Amino acid sequence: MLRGYLPAIVFLVLGGAVGVLFSVLNTLVGVKSKPIQSKNDPYECGIPSEIQSRFRFGISFYLIAMLFILFDIEVLFLYPVAMNLREYGTFALIEISVFVVLLFVAFIYVWRRGALEWR
């Protein structure tokens, strides 16, 4: 029983040991610098951020993000079937066609409701 898990256990132990070793080496050998204010300021894409920490995103940002994740994950389910379509046969092709049509209908519904409009 243990022999089946032995390579995975060895891999996890060695990976953890390498992580701990690198952290210890970084603490011992790494350059130690004094903290300065400019290192603690928010910084993104090469431009210092001027946005307040309490900046609020509009609801449309979250709505579009959730819709993107929803449709992205649904399309991801097509990949395994597409890779083995010959093995699954005609039934899988019909089922995937129905899935894509329903996905398209849902997209049209969301689009017509104005959920993709940036406000």
Side-chain angles (χ1 to χ4, degrees):
M1 176 83 179
L2 184 61
R3 287 185 183 200
Y5 291 110
L6 188 61
I9 292 171
V10 169
F11 183 74
L12 288 172
V13 168
L14 286 177
V18 167
V20 169
L21 176 70
F22 285 165
S23 295
V24 169
L25 283 175
N26 184 31
T27 304
L28 296 176
V29 181
V31 177
K32 294 170 181 58
S33 62
K34 296 178 183 176
I36 55 177
Q37 182 60 32
S38 64
K39 288 187 177 183
N40 292 330
D41 288 342
Y43 187 79
E44 184 176 344
C45 300
I47 302 171
S49 178
E50 297 176 4
I51 298 174
Q52 300 293 331
S53 63
R54 296 207 169 119
F55 178 77
R56 296 182 65 166
F57 288 100
I59 191 69
S60 60
F61 173 80
Y62 294 107
L63 184 61
I64 289 177
M66 287 189 310
L67 288 172
F68 171 76
I69 290 171
L70 177 72
F71 284 109
D72 189 44
I73 289 173
E74 286 180 352
V75 170
L76 185 67
F77 288 132
L78 296 175
Y79 184 75
V81 177
M83 290 293 104
N84 297 320
L85 189 58
R86 286 192 180 127
E87 295 173 18
Y88 294 143
T90 309
F91 179 73
L93 183 62
I94 294 169
E95 289 293 321
I96 290 300
S97 299
V98 170
F99 178 75
V100 168
V101 167
L102 290 175
L103 188 65
F104 186 69
V105 168
F107 177 73
I108 295 297
Y109 174 77
V110 166
W111 182 28
R112 297 288 291 171
R113 294 283 304 209
L116 300 178
E117 304 268 333
W118 191 262
R119 294 179 212 129

